[in-house]
């Protein structure tokens, strides 16, 4: 082949049929892999929420060991970071950072005394509403 023939062939590019085949393959991969990836993201948010509830529960237990009681519902989880007024035995902060939101951006619900124990700590899940199933199910410390 002459240099002119090779140069013309190199500049030709892809045909429409080749581009369509590549687009179909990419579409199939996204259709097969995409739902699995999204399902795993949901599972990881649930696991992260359970881990945060466990960590907050341990911080609340440390608060109780120092103060002799859990923070009241009115004091809330912020009592783990900032000393409540009239709390003489507070030896915090009990969290390194501020009180986190759940992985969906909602605040955790804290009640003390709780209906299920000394305190209730929960996340309403993805939808931020009581009840639900799947990723929208409530995650609790009890």
């Amino acid at each position: 082949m002459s240099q002119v023939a090779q140069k013309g062939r190199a500049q030709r590019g892809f045909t429409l049929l080749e581009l369509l085949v590549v687009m179909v393959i990419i579409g199939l991969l996204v259709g097969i892999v995409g739902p699995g990836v999204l399902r795993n993201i949901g599972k990881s948010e649930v696991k992260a929420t359970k881990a945060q509830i466990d960590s907050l529960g341990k911080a609340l237990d440390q608060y109780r060991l120092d103060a002799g009681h859990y923070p009241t519902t009115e004091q809330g989880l912020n009592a783990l970071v900032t000393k409540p007024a009239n709390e003489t035995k507070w030896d915090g902060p009990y969290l390194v950072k501020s009180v986190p939101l759940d992985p969906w951006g909602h605040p955790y619900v804290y009640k003390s005394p709780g209906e299920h124990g000394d305190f209730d700590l929960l996340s309403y899940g993805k939808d931020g509403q009581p009840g639900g199933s799947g990723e929208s199910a409530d995650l609790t410390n009890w």
Side-chain angles (χ1 to χ4, degrees):
M1 252 187 211
S2 69
Q3 284 185 342
V4 175
Q6 287 179 345
K7 193 174 186 181
R9 185 178 193 129
Q11 293 179 351
R12 194 170 64 165
F14 297 106
T15 66
L16 181 60
L17 182 59
E18 291 169 330
L19 290 173
L20 287 174
V21 168
V22 169
M23 289 175 63
V24 166
I25 291 170
I26 290 172
L28 286 171
L29 287 173
V30 168
I32 293 169
V33 175
V37 170
L38 293 175
R39 187 172 36 256
N40 286 336
I41 289 173
K43 287 180 184 177
S44 67
E45 288 171 333
V46 169
K47 287 180 182 178
T49 303
K50 289 179 180 179
Q52 284 182 337
I53 287 174
D54 184 57
S55 177
L56 289 170
K58 289 176 181 173
L60 286 163
D61 288 339
Q62 186 62 47
Y63 181 103
R64 184 187 57 81
L65 286 173
D66 290 343
H69 57 85
Y70 289 104
T72 65
T73 302
E74 293 74 27
Q75 291 169 329
L77 295 174
N78 286 328
L80 298 173
V81 180
T82 306
K83 181 179 179 180
N86 301 324
E87 189 61 67
T88 58
K89 296 180 183 178
W90 191 86
D91 194 27
Y94 300 95
L95 295 175
V96 176
K97 297 179 181 178
S98 63
V99 178
L101 298 174
D102 70 14
W104 300 281
H106 306 293
Y108 286 97
V109 177
Y110 172 74
K111 297 175 187 173
S112 178
E115 297 172 13
H116 302 278
D118 292 329
F119 65 88
D120 291 349
L121 184 59
L122 64 133
S123 165
Y124 287 132
K126 185 175 184 176
D127 65 356
Q129 302 295 320
S133 61
E135 289 179 46
S136 297
D138 298 347
L139 301 163
T140 66
N141 69 319
W142 62 87

PDB file of all heavy atoms in Angstrom, residues 30-67:
ATOM      1  N   VAL A  30     -24.415  -1.378  31.614  1.00  0.00           N
ATOM      2  CA  VAL A  30     -25.052  -0.499  32.602  1.00  0.00           C
ATOM      3  C   VAL A  30     -26.323  -1.145  33.133  1.00  0.00           C
ATOM      4  O   VAL A  30     -26.609  -1.103  34.330  1.00  0.00           O
ATOM      5  CB  VAL A  30     -25.333   0.891  31.990  1.00  0.00           C
ATOM      6  CG1 VAL A  30     -26.236   1.705  32.873  1.00  0.00           C
ATOM      7  CG2 VAL A  30     -24.031   1.628  31.732  1.00  0.00           C
ATOM      8  N   GLY A  31     -27.100  -1.778  32.261  1.00  0.00           N
ATOM      9  CA  GLY A  31     -28.337  -2.424  32.685  1.00  0.00           C
ATOM     10  C   GLY A  31     -28.121  -3.611  33.598  1.00  0.00           C
ATOM     11  O   GLY A  31     -28.925  -3.898  34.477  1.00  0.00           O
ATOM     12  N   ILE A  32     -27.005  -4.301  33.414  1.00  0.00           N
ATOM     13  CA  ILE A  32     -26.718  -5.478  34.239  1.00  0.00           C
ATOM     14  C   ILE A  32     -25.997  -5.089  35.526  1.00  0.00           C
ATOM     15  O   ILE A  32     -26.343  -5.543  36.610  1.00  0.00           O
ATOM     16  CB  ILE A  32     -25.878  -6.497  33.437  1.00  0.00           C
ATOM     17  CG1 ILE A  32     -26.723  -7.070  32.298  1.00  0.00           C
ATOM     18  CG2 ILE A  32     -25.351  -7.606  34.321  1.00  0.00           C
ATOM     19  CD1 ILE A  32     -25.937  -7.878  31.288  1.00  0.00           C
ATOM     20  N   VAL A  33     -24.999  -4.241  35.436  1.00  0.00           N
ATOM     21  CA  VAL A  33     -24.157  -3.891  36.579  1.00  0.00           C
ATOM     22  C   VAL A  33     -24.790  -2.797  37.440  1.00  0.00           C
ATOM     23  O   VAL A  33     -24.678  -2.817  38.660  1.00  0.00           O
ATOM     24  CB  VAL A  33     -22.749  -3.455  36.093  1.00  0.00           C
ATOM     25  CG1 VAL A  33     -21.902  -2.965  37.235  1.00  0.00           C
ATOM     26  CG2 VAL A  33     -22.068  -4.596  35.371  1.00  0.00           C
ATOM     27  N   GLY A  34     -25.471  -1.852  36.829  1.00  0.00           N
ATOM     28  CA  GLY A  34     -26.027  -0.699  37.541  1.00  0.00           C
ATOM     29  C   GLY A  34     -26.902  -1.046  38.737  1.00  0.00           C
ATOM     30  O   GLY A  34     -26.661  -0.554  39.840  1.00  0.00           O
ATOM     31  N   PRO A  35     -27.914  -1.887  38.575  1.00  0.00           N
ATOM     32  CA  PRO A  35     -28.766  -2.213  39.727  1.00  0.00           C
ATOM     33  C   PRO A  35     -28.003  -2.853  40.884  1.00  0.00           C
ATOM     34  O   PRO A  35     -28.290  -2.595  42.044  1.00  0.00           O
ATOM     35  CB  PRO A  35     -29.792  -3.194  39.150  1.00  0.00           C
ATOM     36  CG  PRO A  35     -29.850  -2.867  37.703  1.00  0.00           C
ATOM     37  CD  PRO A  35     -28.451  -2.441  37.333  1.00  0.00           C
ATOM     38  N   GLY A  36     -27.016  -3.694  40.588  1.00  0.00           N
ATOM     39  CA  GLY A  36     -26.214  -4.311  41.648  1.00  0.00           C
ATOM     40  C   GLY A  36     -25.423  -3.279  42.428  1.00  0.00           C
ATOM     41  O   GLY A  36     -25.327  -3.346  43.647  1.00  0.00           O
ATOM     42  N   VAL A  37     -24.867  -2.311  41.718  1.00  0.00           N
ATOM     43  CA  VAL A  37     -24.106  -1.249  42.378  1.00  0.00           C
ATOM     44  C   VAL A  37     -25.034  -0.414  43.253  1.00  0.00           C
ATOM     45  O   VAL A  37     -24.710  -0.103  44.401  1.00  0.00           O
ATOM     46  CB  VAL A  37     -23.383  -0.369  41.337  1.00  0.00           C
ATOM     47  CG1 VAL A  37     -22.803   0.873  41.970  1.00  0.00           C
ATOM     48  CG2 VAL A  37     -22.301  -1.169  40.631  1.00  0.00           C
ATOM     49  N   LEU A  38     -26.193  -0.047  42.738  1.00  0.00           N
ATOM     50  CA  LEU A  38     -27.139   0.753  43.520  1.00  0.00           C
ATOM     51  C   LEU A  38     -27.641  -0.002  44.741  1.00  0.00           C
ATOM     52  O   LEU A  38     -27.823   0.574  45.809  1.00  0.00           O
ATOM     53  CB  LEU A  38     -28.317   1.198  42.644  1.00  0.00           C
ATOM     54  CG  LEU A  38     -27.967   2.190  41.537  1.00  0.00           C
ATOM     55  CD1 LEU A  38     -29.192   2.463  40.671  1.00  0.00           C
ATOM     56  CD2 LEU A  38     -27.421   3.476  42.103  1.00  0.00           C
ATOM     57  N   ARG A  39     -27.838  -1.304  44.605  1.00  0.00           N
ATOM     58  CA  ARG A  39     -28.291  -2.123  45.732  1.00  0.00           C
ATOM     59  C   ARG A  39     -27.211  -2.152  46.821  1.00  0.00           C
ATOM     60  O   ARG A  39     -27.509  -2.064  47.996  1.00  0.00           O
ATOM     61  CB  ARG A  39     -28.623  -3.528  45.236  1.00  0.00           C
ATOM     62  CG  ARG A  39     -29.251  -4.427  46.249  1.00  0.00           C
ATOM     63  CD  ARG A  39     -29.751  -5.765  45.665  1.00  0.00           C
ATOM     64  NE  ARG A  39     -28.947  -6.345  44.613  1.00  0.00           N
ATOM     65  CZ  ARG A  39     -29.268  -6.323  43.307  1.00  0.00           C
ATOM     66  NH1 ARG A  39     -30.378  -5.742  42.907  1.00  0.00           N
ATOM     67  NH2 ARG A  39     -28.495  -6.896  42.405  1.00  0.00           N
ATOM     68  N   ASN A  40     -25.957  -2.238  46.408  1.00  0.00           N
ATOM     69  CA  ASN A  40     -24.864  -2.255  47.387  1.00  0.00           C
ATOM     70  C   ASN A  40     -24.700  -0.912  48.069  1.00  0.00           C
ATOM     71  O   ASN A  40     -24.317  -0.859  49.234  1.00  0.00           O
ATOM     72  CB  ASN A  40     -23.555  -2.675  46.716  1.00  0.00           C
ATOM     73  CG  ASN A  40     -23.531  -4.161  46.416  1.00  0.00           C
ATOM     74  OD1 ASN A  40     -24.224  -4.937  47.050  1.00  0.00           O
ATOM     75  ND2 ASN A  40     -22.751  -4.548  45.434  1.00  0.00           N
ATOM     76  N   ILE A  41     -24.985   0.183  47.382  1.00  0.00           N
ATOM     77  CA  ILE A  41     -24.916   1.501  48.012  1.00  0.00           C
ATOM     78  C   ILE A  41     -25.963   1.577  49.123  1.00  0.00           C
ATOM     79  O   ILE A  41     -25.690   2.053  50.217  1.00  0.00           O
ATOM     80  CB  ILE A  41     -25.119   2.624  46.974  1.00  0.00           C
ATOM     81  CG1 ILE A  41     -23.894   2.711  46.071  1.00  0.00           C
ATOM     82  CG2 ILE A  41     -25.378   3.961  47.651  1.00  0.00           C
ATOM     83  CD1 ILE A  41     -24.051   3.652  44.910  1.00  0.00           C
ATOM     84  N   GLY A  42     -27.169   1.094  48.854  1.00  0.00           N
ATOM     85  CA  GLY A  42     -28.210   1.076  49.877  1.00  0.00           C
ATOM     86  C   GLY A  42     -27.824   0.242  51.073  1.00  0.00           C
ATOM     87  O   GLY A  42     -28.046   0.623  52.221  1.00  0.00           O
ATOM     88  N   LYS A  43     -27.212  -0.918  50.826  1.00  0.00           N
ATOM     89  CA  LYS A  43     -26.769  -1.780  51.932  1.00  0.00           C
ATOM     90  C   LYS A  43     -25.695  -1.092  52.758  1.00  0.00           C
ATOM     91  O   LYS A  43     -25.672  -1.209  53.985  1.00  0.00           O
ATOM     92  CB  LYS A  43     -26.241  -3.110  51.390  1.00  0.00           C
ATOM     93  CG  LYS A  43     -27.302  -4.047  50.882  1.00  0.00           C
ATOM     94  CD  LYS A  43     -26.662  -5.330  50.366  1.00  0.00           C
ATOM     95  CE  LYS A  43     -27.686  -6.249  49.755  1.00  0.00           C
ATOM     96  NZ  LYS A  43     -27.058  -7.462  49.193  1.00  0.00           N
ATOM     97  N   SER A  44     -24.796  -0.374  52.101  1.00  0.00           N
ATOM     98  CA  SER A  44     -23.722   0.283  52.847  1.00  0.00           C
ATOM     99  C   SER A  44     -24.258   1.422  53.710  1.00  0.00           C
ATOM    100  O   SER A  44     -23.746   1.665  54.800  1.00  0.00           O
ATOM    101  CB  SER A  44     -22.630   0.791  51.903  1.00  0.00           C
ATOM    102  OG  SER A  44     -23.104   1.844  51.090  1.00  0.00           O
ATOM    103  N   GLU A  45     -25.298   2.122  53.243  1.00  0.00           N
ATOM    104  CA  GLU A  45     -25.900   3.177  54.064  1.00  0.00           C
ATOM    105  C   GLU A  45     -26.558   2.587  55.307  1.00  0.00           C
ATOM    106  O   GLU A  45     -26.474   3.159  56.392  1.00  0.00           O
ATOM    107  CB  GLU A  45     -26.911   3.977  53.231  1.00  0.00           C
ATOM    108  CG  GLU A  45     -26.248   4.866  52.196  1.00  0.00           C
ATOM    109  CD  GLU A  45     -27.223   5.495  51.232  1.00  0.00           C
ATOM    110  OE1 GLU A  45     -28.305   4.912  50.985  1.00  0.00           O
ATOM    111  OE2 GLU A  45     -26.893   6.570  50.698  1.00  0.00           O
ATOM    112  N   VAL A  46     -27.211   1.445  55.163  1.00  0.00           N
ATOM    113  CA  VAL A  46     -27.836   0.774  56.314  1.00  0.00           C
ATOM    114  C   VAL A  46     -26.757   0.329  57.304  1.00  0.00           C
ATOM    115  O   VAL A  46     -26.886   0.533  58.518  1.00  0.00           O
ATOM    116  CB  VAL A  46     -28.705  -0.419  55.847  1.00  0.00           C
ATOM    117  CG1 VAL A  46     -29.135  -1.273  57.031  1.00  0.00           C
ATOM    118  CG2 VAL A  46     -29.921   0.075  55.072  1.00  0.00           C
ATOM    119  N   LYS A  47     -25.659  -0.244  56.797  1.00  0.00           N
ATOM    120  CA  LYS A  47     -24.569  -0.675  57.678  1.00  0.00           C
ATOM    121  C   LYS A  47     -23.930   0.519  58.385  1.00  0.00           C
ATOM    122  O   LYS A  47     -23.596   0.439  59.568  1.00  0.00           O
ATOM    123  CB  LYS A  47     -23.512  -1.438  56.876  1.00  0.00           C
ATOM    124  CG  LYS A  47     -23.952  -2.821  56.463  1.00  0.00           C
ATOM    125  CD  LYS A  47     -22.860  -3.529  55.681  1.00  0.00           C
ATOM    126  CE  LYS A  47     -23.330  -4.895  55.218  1.00  0.00           C
ATOM    127  NZ  LYS A  47     -22.278  -5.569  54.425  1.00  0.00           N
ATOM    128  N   ALA A  48     -23.768   1.622  57.661  1.00  0.00           N
ATOM    129  CA  ALA A  48     -23.186   2.823  58.268  1.00  0.00           C
ATOM    130  C   ALA A  48     -24.097   3.361  59.370  1.00  0.00           C
ATOM    131  O   ALA A  48     -23.623   3.795  60.423  1.00  0.00           O
ATOM    132  CB  ALA A  48     -22.945   3.898  57.206  1.00  0.00           C
ATOM    133  N   THR A  49     -25.403   3.326  59.151  1.00  0.00           N
ATOM    134  CA  THR A  49     -26.352   3.788  60.163  1.00  0.00           C
ATOM    135  C   THR A  49     -26.271   2.923  61.413  1.00  0.00           C
ATOM    136  O   THR A  49     -26.241   3.434  62.535  1.00  0.00           O
ATOM    137  CB  THR A  49     -27.789   3.780  59.607  1.00  0.00           C
ATOM    138  OG1 THR A  49     -27.838   4.590  58.435  1.00  0.00           O
ATOM    139  CG2 THR A  49     -28.791   4.296  60.619  1.00  0.00           C
ATOM    140  N   LYS A  50     -26.227   1.604  61.237  1.00  0.00           N
ATOM    141  CA  LYS A  50     -26.114   0.699  62.384  1.00  0.00           C
ATOM    142  C   LYS A  50     -24.832   0.963  63.160  1.00  0.00           C
ATOM    143  O   LYS A  50     -24.828   0.971  64.398  1.00  0.00           O
ATOM    144  CB  LYS A  50     -26.179  -0.756  61.925  1.00  0.00           C
ATOM    145  CG  LYS A  50     -27.554  -1.177  61.442  1.00  0.00           C
ATOM    146  CD  LYS A  50     -27.552  -2.620  60.965  1.00  0.00           C
ATOM    147  CE  LYS A  50     -28.939  -3.037  60.477  1.00  0.00           C
ATOM    148  NZ  LYS A  50     -28.945  -4.423  59.996  1.00  0.00           N
ATOM    149  N   ALA A  51     -23.737   1.215  62.439  1.00  0.00           N
ATOM    150  CA  ALA A  51     -22.461   1.498  63.098  1.00  0.00           C
ATOM    151  C   ALA A  51     -22.522   2.823  63.858  1.00  0.00           C
ATOM    152  O   ALA A  51     -22.000   2.931  64.974  1.00  0.00           O
ATOM    153  CB  ALA A  51     -21.331   1.526  62.073  1.00  0.00           C
ATOM    154  N   GLN A  52     -23.156   3.842  63.279  1.00  0.00           N
ATOM    155  CA  GLN A  52     -23.281   5.131  63.968  1.00  0.00           C
ATOM    156  C   GLN A  52     -24.154   5.010  65.201  1.00  0.00           C
ATOM    157  O   GLN A  52     -23.842   5.593  66.244  1.00  0.00           O
ATOM    158  CB  GLN A  52     -23.840   6.195  63.020  1.00  0.00           C
ATOM    159  CG  GLN A  52     -22.827   6.713  62.039  1.00  0.00           C
ATOM    160  CD  GLN A  52     -23.401   7.801  61.133  1.00  0.00           C
ATOM    161  OE1 GLN A  52     -24.611   7.896  60.932  1.00  0.00           O
ATOM    162  NE2 GLN A  52     -22.524   8.611  60.581  1.00  0.00           N
ATOM    163  N   ILE A  53     -25.244   4.268  65.118  1.00  0.00           N
ATOM    164  CA  ILE A  53     -26.120   4.074  66.282  1.00  0.00           C
ATOM    165  C   ILE A  53     -25.340   3.364  67.390  1.00  0.00           C
ATOM    166  O   ILE A  53     -25.436   3.740  68.565  1.00  0.00           O
ATOM    167  CB  ILE A  53     -27.402   3.301  65.894  1.00  0.00           C
ATOM    168  CG1 ILE A  53     -28.338   4.223  65.092  1.00  0.00           C
ATOM    169  CG2 ILE A  53     -28.117   2.750  67.126  1.00  0.00           C
ATOM    170  CD1 ILE A  53     -29.563   3.531  64.530  1.00  0.00           C
ATOM    171  N   ASP A  54     -24.543   2.365  67.032  1.00  0.00           N
ATOM    172  CA  ASP A  54     -23.723   1.664  68.018  1.00  0.00           C
ATOM    173  C   ASP A  54     -22.706   2.614  68.657  1.00  0.00           C
ATOM    174  O   ASP A  54     -22.535   2.629  69.876  1.00  0.00           O
ATOM    175  CB  ASP A  54     -23.011   0.482  67.355  1.00  0.00           C
ATOM    176  CG  ASP A  54     -22.218  -0.338  68.341  1.00  0.00           C
ATOM    177  OD1 ASP A  54     -22.808  -0.832  69.325  1.00  0.00           O
ATOM    178  OD2 ASP A  54     -20.997  -0.479  68.138  1.00  0.00           O
ATOM    179  N   SER A  55     -22.059   3.430  67.844  1.00  0.00           N
ATOM    180  CA  SER A  55     -21.063   4.381  68.347  1.00  0.00           C
ATOM    181  C   SER A  55     -21.707   5.432  69.255  1.00  0.00           C
ATOM    182  O   SER A  55     -21.166   5.763  70.324  1.00  0.00           O
ATOM    183  CB  SER A  55     -20.372   5.059  67.164  1.00  0.00           C
ATOM    184  OG  SER A  55     -19.464   6.019  67.600  1.00  0.00           O
ATOM    185  N   LEU A  56     -22.858   5.959  68.851  1.00  0.00           N
ATOM    186  CA  LEU A  56     -23.564   6.936  69.691  1.00  0.00           C
ATOM    187  C   LEU A  56     -24.017   6.289  70.999  1.00  0.00           C
ATOM    188  O   LEU A  56     -23.971   6.919  72.058  1.00  0.00           O
ATOM    189  CB  LEU A  56     -24.753   7.521  68.935  1.00  0.00           C
ATOM    190  CG  LEU A  56     -24.413   8.468  67.779  1.00  0.00           C
ATOM    191  CD1 LEU A  56     -25.662   8.780  66.952  1.00  0.00           C
ATOM    192  CD2 LEU A  56     -23.782   9.751  68.296  1.00  0.00           C
ATOM    193  N   GLY A  57     -24.447   5.032  70.932  1.00  0.00           N
ATOM    194  CA  GLY A  57     -24.853   4.314  72.143  1.00  0.00           C
ATOM    195  C   GLY A  57     -23.700   4.168  73.125  1.00  0.00           C
ATOM    196  O   GLY A  57     -23.872   4.342  74.339  1.00  0.00           O
ATOM    197  N   LYS A  58     -22.504   3.887  72.613  1.00  0.00           N
ATOM    198  CA  LYS A  58     -21.334   3.775  73.482  1.00  0.00           C
ATOM    199  C   LYS A  58     -20.971   5.127  74.096  1.00  0.00           C
ATOM    200  O   LYS A  58     -20.594   5.206  75.270  1.00  0.00           O
ATOM    201  CB  LYS A  58     -20.163   3.195  72.708  1.00  0.00           C
ATOM    202  CG  LYS A  58     -20.357   1.725  72.392  1.00  0.00           C
ATOM    203  CD  LYS A  58     -19.249   1.156  71.550  1.00  0.00           C
ATOM    204  CE  LYS A  58     -19.555  -0.313  71.269  1.00  0.00           C
ATOM    205  NZ  LYS A  58     -18.613  -0.895  70.337  1.00  0.00           N
ATOM    206  N   ALA A  59     -21.105   6.197  73.313  1.00  0.00           N
ATOM    207  CA  ALA A  59     -20.841   7.534  73.848  1.00  0.00           C
ATOM    208  C   ALA A  59     -21.870   7.888  74.927  1.00  0.00           C
ATOM    209  O   ALA A  59     -21.524   8.489  75.954  1.00  0.00           O
ATOM    210  CB  ALA A  59     -20.871   8.571  72.724  1.00  0.00           C
ATOM    211  N   LEU A  60     -23.127   7.498  74.721  1.00  0.00           N
ATOM    212  CA  LEU A  60     -24.164   7.739  75.729  1.00  0.00           C
ATOM    213  C   LEU A  60     -23.876   6.947  77.003  1.00  0.00           C
ATOM    214  O   LEU A  60     -24.081   7.452  78.114  1.00  0.00           O
ATOM    215  CB  LEU A  60     -25.544   7.382  75.170  1.00  0.00           C
ATOM    216  CG  LEU A  60     -26.109   8.365  74.153  1.00  0.00           C
ATOM    217  CD1 LEU A  60     -27.251   7.737  73.356  1.00  0.00           C
ATOM    218  CD2 LEU A  60     -26.573   9.639  74.847  1.00  0.00           C
ATOM    219  N   ASP A  61     -23.390   5.713  76.851  1.00  0.00           N
ATOM    220  CA  ASP A  61     -23.030   4.915  78.033  1.00  0.00           C
ATOM    221  C   ASP A  61     -21.880   5.569  78.805  1.00  0.00           C
ATOM    222  O   ASP A  61     -21.881   5.578  80.039  1.00  0.00           O
ATOM    223  CB  ASP A  61     -22.644   3.493  77.617  1.00  0.00           C
ATOM    224  CG  ASP A  61     -23.832   2.662  77.163  1.00  0.00           C
ATOM    225  OD1 ASP A  61     -24.985   3.013  77.521  1.00  0.00           O
ATOM    226  OD2 ASP A  61     -23.611   1.665  76.444  1.00  0.00           O
ATOM    227  N   GLN A  62     -20.914   6.125  78.100  1.00  0.00           N
ATOM    228  CA  GLN A  62     -19.805   6.811  78.768  1.00  0.00           C
ATOM    229  C   GLN A  62     -20.306   8.056  79.510  1.00  0.00           C
ATOM    230  O   GLN A  62     -19.879   8.334  80.625  1.00  0.00           O
ATOM    231  CB  GLN A  62     -18.731   7.202  77.742  1.00  0.00           C
ATOM    232  CG  GLN A  62     -17.497   7.792  78.368  1.00  0.00           C
ATOM    233  CD  GLN A  62     -16.783   6.811  79.288  1.00  0.00           C
ATOM    234  OE1 GLN A  62     -16.571   5.659  78.937  1.00  0.00           O
ATOM    235  NE2 GLN A  62     -16.418   7.264  80.471  1.00  0.00           N
ATOM    236  N   TYR A  63     -21.233   8.780  78.893  1.00  0.00           N
ATOM    237  CA  TYR A  63     -21.852   9.934  79.545  1.00  0.00           C
ATOM    238  C   TYR A  63     -22.516   9.494  80.848  1.00  0.00           C
ATOM    239  O   TYR A  63     -22.355  10.121  81.889  1.00  0.00           O
ATOM    240  CB  TYR A  63     -22.875  10.560  78.592  1.00  0.00           C
ATOM    241  CG  TYR A  63     -23.589  11.780  79.131  1.00  0.00           C
ATOM    242  CD1 TYR A  63     -23.231  13.053  78.707  1.00  0.00           C
ATOM    243  CD2 TYR A  63     -24.644  11.674  80.041  1.00  0.00           C
ATOM    244  CE1 TYR A  63     -23.886  14.186  79.172  1.00  0.00           C
ATOM    245  CE2 TYR A  63     -25.297  12.773  80.520  1.00  0.00           C
ATOM    246  CZ  TYR A  63     -24.920  14.032  80.086  1.00  0.00           C
ATOM    247  OH  TYR A  63     -25.572  15.146  80.559  1.00  0.00           O
ATOM    248  N   ARG A  64     -23.265   8.385  80.779  1.00  0.00           N
ATOM    249  CA  ARG A  64     -23.960   7.880  81.979  1.00  0.00           C
ATOM    250  C   ARG A  64     -22.975   7.486  83.068  1.00  0.00           C
ATOM    251  O   ARG A  64     -23.216   7.733  84.254  1.00  0.00           O
ATOM    252  CB  ARG A  64     -24.848   6.696  81.629  1.00  0.00           C
ATOM    253  CG  ARG A  64     -25.671   6.196  82.834  1.00  0.00           C
ATOM    254  CD  ARG A  64     -26.438   4.933  82.553  1.00  0.00           C
ATOM    255  NE  ARG A  64     -25.613   3.831  82.123  1.00  0.00           N
ATOM    256  CZ  ARG A  64     -24.902   3.025  82.933  1.00  0.00           C
ATOM    257  NH1 ARG A  64     -24.915   3.217  84.225  1.00  0.00           N
ATOM    258  NH2 ARG A  64     -24.190   2.033  82.437  1.00  0.00           N
ATOM    259  N   LEU A  65     -21.865   6.883  82.688  1.00  0.00           N
ATOM    260  CA  LEU A  65     -20.860   6.503  83.688  1.00  0.00           C
ATOM    261  C   LEU A  65     -20.312   7.732  84.414  1.00  0.00           C
ATOM    262  O   LEU A  65     -20.078   7.691  85.621  1.00  0.00           O
ATOM    263  CB  LEU A  65     -19.713   5.738  83.030  1.00  0.00           C
ATOM    264  CG  LEU A  65     -20.024   4.311  82.607  1.00  0.00           C
ATOM    265  CD1 LEU A  65     -18.857   3.733  81.814  1.00  0.00           C
ATOM    266  CD2 LEU A  65     -20.339   3.442  83.814  1.00  0.00           C
ATOM    267  N   ASP A  66     -20.116   8.822  83.686  1.00  0.00           N
ATOM    268  CA  ASP A  66     -19.582  10.045  84.293  1.00  0.00           C
ATOM    269  C   ASP A  66     -20.649  10.814  85.063  1.00  0.00           C
ATOM    270  O   ASP A  66     -20.439  11.210  86.203  1.00  0.00           O
ATOM    271  CB  ASP A  66     -18.980  10.961  83.222  1.00  0.00           C
ATOM    272  CG  ASP A  66     -17.696  10.396  82.637  1.00  0.00           C
ATOM    273  OD1 ASP A  66     -17.106   9.491  83.246  1.00  0.00           O
ATOM    274  OD2 ASP A  66     -17.290  10.876  81.559  1.00  0.00           O
ATOM    275  N   ALA A  67     -21.809  11.028  84.430  1.00  0.00           N
ATOM    276  CA  ALA A  67     -22.833  11.899  85.010  1.00  0.00           C
ATOM    277  C   ALA A  67     -23.802  11.162  85.931  1.00  0.00           C
ATOM    278  O   ALA A  67     -24.504  11.787  86.731  1.00  0.00           O
ATOM    279  CB  ALA A  67     -23.619  12.594  83.891  1.00  0.00           C
TER     280      ALA A  67
END
